[in-house]
Amino acid sequence: MNSNYIIKRIDELCEQKHMTQYELSKRAGMTQSSLSNLMNRGCMPQINTLEKICTGFGITLSQFFNREGGFPDLSEEQLEVLQEWETLSAKEKPVARKMLKNIKELR
């Protein structure tokens, strides 16, 4: 694995998620110049930097390296729940989380 793969993958995910590098940097909690330097210099990022970038995309490291964009190592039931989650709107997701917490409290 080389830095070109990582930079291409970041570009690919920005395009897929309709996100600019500026927006990614803000979501990742890093400066735009840091992300820009990484992208332009083609350096291999440290793992903590890559984790921040994944957080900005809302994905795990495993998903970053999984080109199919799926959820690796999940049961069919877990996969089904996550696929449904992806179809929810930004307003529906907090409601769904609250419902899950309420269900757990019933135990």
Side-chain angles (χ1 to χ4, degrees):
M1 170 114 14
N2 61 33
S3 61
N4 288 336
Y5 171 86
I6 291 175
I7 289 164
K8 286 179 185 177
R9 182 69 173 135
I10 293 169
D11 279 335
E12 178 183 287
L13 288 166
C14 279
E15 187 176 316
Q16 284 176 4
K17 295 182 177 282
H18 308 289
M19 190 182 297
T20 64
Q21 285 185 13
Y22 174 76
E23 187 177 359
L24 173 59
S25 69
K26 294 303 173 199
R27 290 182 179 195
M30 53 193 301
T31 65
Q32 182 180 6
S33 61
S34 294
L35 182 59
S36 181
N37 284 337
L38 170 78
M39 299 299 287
N40 293 330
R41 291 184 182 166
C43 301
M44 181 68 80
Q46 294 182 1
I47 191 71
N48 63 334
T49 301
L50 191 53
E51 285 175 332
K52 286 180 182 180
I53 290 169
C54 288
T55 298
F57 283 128
I59 63 173
T60 64
L61 277 171
S62 180
Q63 290 168 315
F64 181 87
F65 291 105
N66 179 4
R67 285 200 158 286
E68 286 83 45
F71 299 98
D73 302 326
L74 297 179
S75 70
E76 287 295 319
E77 190 174 55
Q78 291 170 321
L79 182 59
E80 183 180 341
V81 169
L82 288 172
Q83 287 171 336
E84 289 297 327
W85 174 265
E86 291 299 317
T87 67
L88 297 176
S89 71
K91 287 184 177 181
E92 293 169 330
K93 287 180 180 181
V95 174
R97 281 195 305 268
K98 185 168 183 150
M99 287 173 54
L100 287 172
K101 287 180 183 177
N102 289 339
I103 291 169
K104 284 175 39 179
E105 290 174 4
L106 293 174
R107 290 189 227 165

